[in-house]
Amino acid sequence: NAGVTQTPKFQVLKTGQSMTLQCAQDMNHNSMYWYRQDPGMGLRLIYYSASEGTTDKGEVPNGYNVSRLNKREFSLRLESAAPSQTSVYFCASTPTRGRSGYGYTFGSGTRLTVV
Amino acid sequence: EDKVVQSPLSLVVHEGDTVTLNCSYEVTNFRSLLWYKQEKKAPTFLFMLTSSGIEKKSGRLSSILDKKELFSILNITATQTGDSAIYLCAVGGSQGNLIFGKGTKLSVKP
């Protein structure tokens, strides 16, 4: 099925460990996003990529890095995980960043726990 | 600073009740307002509103936008237990990113 695929679905890390969350879309979308969702906080933007080859910081970028590997894939890396990064992470994509909200598609999420 | 405020943050009703969820916003260069329903996993799209005063409807759900007063409401009539979820409001600005509110957690009791 067409859409946004995230891996893994669940992960437990120890403080200080590193990991990469993977995201891929097969809808030929130009723009991709990483959000985190904490209880009672809605979704907050971590990083986004308006198009292949570009990335920009969102509202809460500290402690994260991203790579737009190609048009399909946008990964999120935690270099040294901290308990404050325990959250649910969502990847999303849109056809183009300029038309706000149009065609926004979310992945199913990654539940990350840092102990 | 752009912001989206939803109220109430949580709500408990009984089946058959009608509920109104609120969303107010302050966003530079407003383009659109979206409503999502979130159950266990990813948010699922409900409505996208760009024009003031035009109601969008889908079954028992409806939504309207007031661009002058900078708010939107989501109405659910004859609620069912399957309507229990977090309802998210998001606003898109000219930069293309969505700014989300904290959500309203709706619980519908049998």
Side-chain angles (χ1 to χ4, degrees), chain B residues 21-76:
Chain B
L21 309 183
N22 304 292
C23 177
S24 63
Y25 63 90
E26 293 178 26
V27 173
T28 305
N29 296 324
F30 171 90
R31 291 288 181 88
S32 59
L33 185 143
L34 296 93
W35 284 97
Y36 290 88
K37 178 182 182 181
Q38 186 178 28
E39 296 173 269
K40 298 284 187 190
K41 294 188 176 180
T44 54
F45 174 79
L46 293 174
F47 299 110
M48 179 175 174
L49 302 136
T50 57
S51 300
S52 199
I54 298 176
E55 185 181 48
K56 293 275 183 96
K57 292 198 72 170
S58 177
R60 296 177 293 102
L61 278 67
S62 64
S63 182
I64 196 162
L65 173 68
D66 185 328
K67 288 171 74 172
K68 181 180 179 183
E69 299 298 331
L70 307 182
F71 78 91
S72 174
I73 59 172
L74 174 68
N75 279 321
I76 309 175

Side-chain angles (χ1 to χ4, degrees), chain A residues 9 33 35 37 40-45 48 57 59 90 94 96-104 106-109 111, chain B residues 1 9 31-32 34 36 38 40-45 48 86 88 91-103:
Chain A
K9 294 190 185 305
Y33 310 80
Y35 287 90
Q37 186 176 30
M41 291 297 293
L43 276 75
R44 291 183 293 170
L45 183 65
Y48 65 94
K57 294 178 180 179
E59 180 186 356
F90 289 102
T94 56
T96 167
R97 184 163 164 262
R99 298 178 66 184
S100 297
Y102 176 74
Y104 232 88
F106 286 92
S108 59
R111 185 174 293 275
Chain B
E1 181 184 342
L9 294 181
R31 291 288 181 88
S32 59
L34 296 93
Y36 290 88
Q38 186 178 28
K40 298 284 187 190
K41 294 188 176 180
T44 54
F45 174 79
M48 179 175 174
I86 295 172
L88 295 166
V91 175
S94 60
Q95 297 303 307
N97 304 325
L98 287 184
I99 302 157
F100 284 84
K102 294 183 178 182

Side-chain angles (χ1 to χ4, degrees), chain A residues 13-16 36 38 80-87 112-115:
Chain A
L13 290 178
K14 294 183 179 179
T15 298
R36 62 176 286 174
D38 303 299
S80 179
S84 62
Q85 294 178 303
T86 293
S87 189
L112 175 67
T113 302
V114 183
V115 298

